[in-house]
């Protein structure tokens, strides 16, 4: 358990950036990644926590998943890896017959932005199935069409399949609109690549590992959750019982239900409410990885803590999911938001799929696209070589002490509890908010968006606007 932890280094949403994932773990000073096997060099009172969203928006999701899984398996008592909404969508697209339709209205692989980056598929092709034209024809044509979609700000009107009233990329956007043979060739190959990815997730065990990730955890009196916990649903779920135990029971029930299933692509049926036997429980599981209401209302933050405190001593909620340039601490120190846009790909391209490891497309930006962002046109930023943003750190003087929350940036060295210097790169911006620690671990698993939420704002994408930091900025409003 994590009740005895006195120093927790917390890494926010990584979104398929393996380089920065490694940099931030090295920054923590807790793991020697260069030794074989990896070696824990922190103390037995320290922990390393990942807030979820290991995949999407970049080309190295498989590598990040494998990296974080290896850490959890090497140091199961010291490393915690939460489940994010993008991880859940990937899991549902892989295992359920209708993909993530029950969560997002359609399988997320059909979206033209924000989810599975086309270059990610290259990581999952079996050696015997490689084709030279994947990087010379298939992906360049796909990126060229997507760039035109982004220039027209039509992300919400165009999908990679025929879905409802949305336009089909392969029928309505050049070069596919003018070349049916190319359109059919790329569409058929994309379907094959998606099948390779689904099979690979199952065959490598990464799907099963994702299915075992907790949606909620506690480090003493700090509650960790990727998105948030709506107080209304917590109260409804609890009824006359304790909210924390009801939450844990719902999560455990979902874990058991999923564990009884045979892991194979497309082998699951039904929906979350059927799995849990509870509408409130299924909605709460949904919201745990997607809810952003805590950022809007400090009264809501206080309500959640009041519901969980009797059983957990909760006085702090730590979340990811809602990005900005840095860590934000608000509501008198009761809310710590740790998604600081750690992925270099997200910082450069937002929710757009832009070529990163393959040659960039050649179409010139249209006049309507000029002036968007710093570079004007989509997919013209250079991906930085530097890892930016901040990690979070919870520190207390003893297992029964009070938490201090710090924001850790790349730059200087970070002193560890015994005075040693941790990994290179971190100026520490301390937020002198402290909390009383208590007991217990609330473990759970899996969540996602309510189905209605796939109807998105124009140009924004499911994660917010198409720029660098979506849905970020500021803390919760005091009420």
């Amino acid at each position: 358990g994590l009740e005895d932890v006195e120093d927790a280094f917390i890494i926010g949403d990584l979104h398929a950036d393996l380089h920065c994932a490694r940099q931030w773990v090295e920054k923590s000073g807790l793991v020697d990644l260069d030794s074989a096997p990896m070696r824990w060099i922190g103390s037995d009172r320290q922990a390393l926590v990942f807030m979820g969203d290991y995949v999407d928006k970049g080309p190295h999701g498989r590598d990040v998943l494998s990296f974080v899984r290896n850490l959890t398996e090497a140091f199961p008592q010291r490393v915690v890896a939460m489940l994010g909404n993008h991880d859940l969508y990937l899991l549902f697209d892989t295992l359920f017959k209708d993909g993530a339709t029950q969560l997002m209205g359609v399988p997320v692989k059909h979206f033209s932005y924000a989810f599975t980056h086309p270059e990610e598929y290259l990581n999952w092709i079996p050696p015997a199935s490689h084709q030279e034209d994947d990087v010379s024809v298939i992906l360049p044509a796909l990126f060229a069409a997507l760039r035109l979609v982004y220039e027209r700000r039509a992300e919400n009107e165009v999908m990679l399949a025929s879905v409802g009233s949305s336009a089909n990329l392969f029928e309505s956007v050049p070069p596919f609109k003018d070349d049916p043979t190319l359109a059919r060739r790329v569409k058929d190959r994309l379907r094959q690549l998606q099948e390779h990815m689904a099979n690979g997730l199952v065959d490598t065990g990464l799907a099963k590992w994702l299915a075992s990730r907790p949606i909620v955890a506690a480090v003493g009196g700090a509650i960790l959750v990727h998105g948030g916990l709506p107080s209304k649903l917590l109260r409804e779920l609890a009824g006359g019982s304790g909210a924390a135990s009801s939450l844990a029971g719902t999560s455990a029930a979902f874990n058991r239900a999923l564990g009884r299933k045979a892991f194979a692509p497309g082998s699951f049926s039904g929906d979350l409410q059927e799995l849990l036997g509870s509408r409130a429980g299924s909605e709460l599981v949904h919201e745990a990885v997607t809810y952003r209401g805590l950022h809007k209302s400090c009264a809501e933050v206080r309500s959640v803590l009041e519901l969980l405190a009797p059983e957990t001593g909760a006085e702090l909620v730590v979340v990811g999911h809602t990005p900005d340039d840095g860590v934000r601490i608000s509501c008198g120190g009761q809310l710590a938001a740790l998604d600081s846009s750690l992925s270099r790909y997200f910082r450069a391209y937002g929710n757009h799929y832009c070529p990163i490891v393959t040659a960039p497309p050649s179409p010139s930006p249209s006049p309507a696209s000029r002036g968007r962002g710093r570079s004007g046109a989509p997919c013209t930023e250079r991906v930085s070589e530097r890892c930016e943003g901040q990690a979070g750190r919870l520190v207390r003087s003893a297992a029964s002490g009070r938490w201090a929350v710090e924001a850790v940036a790349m730059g200087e060295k970070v002193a560890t509890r015994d005075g040693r210097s941790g990994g290179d790169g971190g100026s520490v911006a301390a937020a002198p908010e402290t909390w009383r620690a208590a007991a217990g671990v609330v473990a759970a698993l899996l969540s996602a968006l309510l189905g209605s939420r796939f109807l998105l704002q124009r140009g924004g994408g499911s994660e917010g606007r198409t720029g660098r930091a979506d849905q970020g900025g500021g803390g919760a409003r005091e009420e």
Side-chain angles (χ1 to χ4, degrees):
L2 302 176
E3 298 92 339
D4 62 343
V5 169
E6 299 173 4
D7 186 343
F9 192 92
I10 307 177
I11 298 173
D13 305 28
L14 289 165
H15 282 305
D17 191 335
L18 177 65
H19 172 71
C20 289
R22 292 183 61 90
Q23 289 286 307
W24 282 107
V25 172
E26 290 175 353
K27 170 83 183 126
S28 74
L30 299 177
V31 181
D32 180 357
L33 297 177
D34 295 325
S35 64
M38 294 184 293
R39 188 164 56 92
W40 182 262
I41 55 177
S43 76
D44 59 2
R45 294 299 179 94
Q46 293 179 292
L48 178 63
V49 178
F50 296 89
M51 292 301 295
D53 274 6
Y54 312 105
V55 300
D56 291 350
K57 310 190 185 188
H60 302 299
R62 175 175 180 166
D63 295 330
V64 174
L65 285 172
S66 297
F67 175 65
V68 177
R69 178 182 66 174
N70 290 345
L71 286 166
T72 62
E73 292 179 347
F75 315 110
Q77 300 302 314
R78 297 294 106 197
V79 179
V80 177
M82 309 294 293
L83 187 79
N85 58 313
H86 283 263
D87 312 316
L88 184 71
Y89 304 150
L90 175 61
L91 191 63
F92 269 58
D93 258 17
T94 299
L95 298 178
F96 280 79
K97 292 179 180 178
D98 61 352
T101 299
Q102 62 181 283
L103 309 173
M104 294 292 285
V106 298
V108 296
K109 64 186 177 184
H110 294 335
F111 278 82
S112 61
Y113 61 96
F115 297 102
T116 305
H117 191 284
E119 290 175 345
E120 176 65 41
Y121 295 119
L122 299 176
N123 302 318
W124 300 93
I125 305 173
S129 299
H130 276 284
Q131 296 182 8
E132 291 185 3
D133 66 355
D134 284 339
V135 296
S136 63
V137 177
I138 303 300
L139 290 185
L142 184 57
F143 282 128
L146 288 169
R147 182 169 174 176
L148 291 174
V149 171
Y150 303 150
E151 288 176 8
R152 298 169 183 174
R153 301 177 184 267
E155 294 92 335
N156 294 317
E157 287 82 43
V158 179
M159 295 221 169
L160 305 184
S162 296
V163 178
S165 61
S166 297
N168 187 320
L169 181 83
F170 297 106
E171 299 172 356
S172 61
V173 181
F176 305 128
K177 180 180 179 181
D178 307 316
D179 190 341
T181 300
L182 177 64
R184 185 167 54 254
R185 180 181 175 187
V186 175
K187 181 173 63 174
D188 289 347
R189 182 55 175 164
L190 180 61
R191 178 183 52 78
Q192 293 172 355
L193 294 174
Q194 291 166 343
E195 290 174 356
H196 289 319
M197 184 172 175
N199 289 329
L201 280 160
V202 171
D203 293 344
T204 60
L206 287 170
K208 186 172 285 291
W209 178 79
L210 273 179
S212 69
R213 297 303 88 211
I215 58 164
V216 182
V219 181
I223 303 300
L224 309 174
V225 59
H226 180 74
L229 296 169
S231 61
K232 180 179 179 180
L233 278 174
L234 273 177
R235 195 173 290 108
E236 181 180 347
L237 181 69
S241 304
S245 58
S246 297
L247 174 61
T250 298
S251 300
F254 183 61
N255 187 24
R256 289 192 300 270
L258 198 66
R260 288 196 295 267
K261 298 282 187 177
F263 273 73
S267 63
F268 288 24
S269 59
D271 58 27
L272 285 178
Q273 183 169 338
E274 291 177 31
L275 286 174
L276 291 174
S278 164
R279 180 197 57 79
S282 64
E283 289 187 9
L284 186 60
V285 169
H286 287 169
E287 295 284 7
V289 294
T290 61
Y291 185 62
R292 286 188 164 121
L294 299 182
H295 300 274
K296 302 176 182 179
S297 168
C298 290
E300 174 74 340
V301 174
R302 288 192 292 270
S303 293
V304 169
L305 292 173
E306 288 170 1
L307 286 166
L308 298 176
E311 296 173 277
T312 66
E315 295 190 28
L316 164 67
V317 180
V318 180
V319 298
H321 185 52
T322 301
D324 209 325
D325 282 334
V327 166
R328 292 88 69 205
I329 302 168
S330 59
C331 300
Q334 292 183 320
L335 178 66
L338 301 189
D339 183 357
S340 63
S341 308
L342 299 182
S343 171
R344 295 167 299 155
Y345 313 121
F346 177 70
R347 282 183 169 261
Y349 304 129
N351 292 321
H352 289 159
Y353 302 151
C354 301
I356 297 168
V357 300
T358 56
S362 58
S364 299
S366 65
S369 71
R370 297 187 188 280
R372 293 176 58 193
R374 291 174 297 176
S375 64
C379 296
T380 56
E381 292 284 345
R382 291 180 60 86
V383 175
S384 174
E385 295 181 359
R386 297 186 301 113
C387 297
E388 301 176 87
Q390 297 174 323
R393 191 180 180 200
L394 304 184
V395 183
R396 56 185 178 179
S397 59
S400 59
R402 298 164 64 87
W403 288 115
V405 184
E406 301 173 352
V408 183
M410 290 287 180
E412 302 173 351
K413 294 182 181 294
V414 178
T416 59
R417 294 297 307 282
D418 60 4
R420 295 181 292 110
S421 291
D424 283 339
S427 62
V428 178
E433 310 288 351
T434 57
W435 296 269
R436 178 174 55 84
V441 173
V442 183
L445 141 80
L446 301 182
S447 4
L449 281 172
L450 293 172
S452 61
R453 292 190 177 182
F454 89 104
L455 300 174
L456 310 169
Q457 293 182 344
R458 178 177 175 84
S462 68
E463 294 296 287
R465 63 181 185 271
T466 55
R468 286 175 50 241
D470 53 23
Q471 297 285 346
R477 181 178 69 255
E478 290 286 357
E479 295 181 348

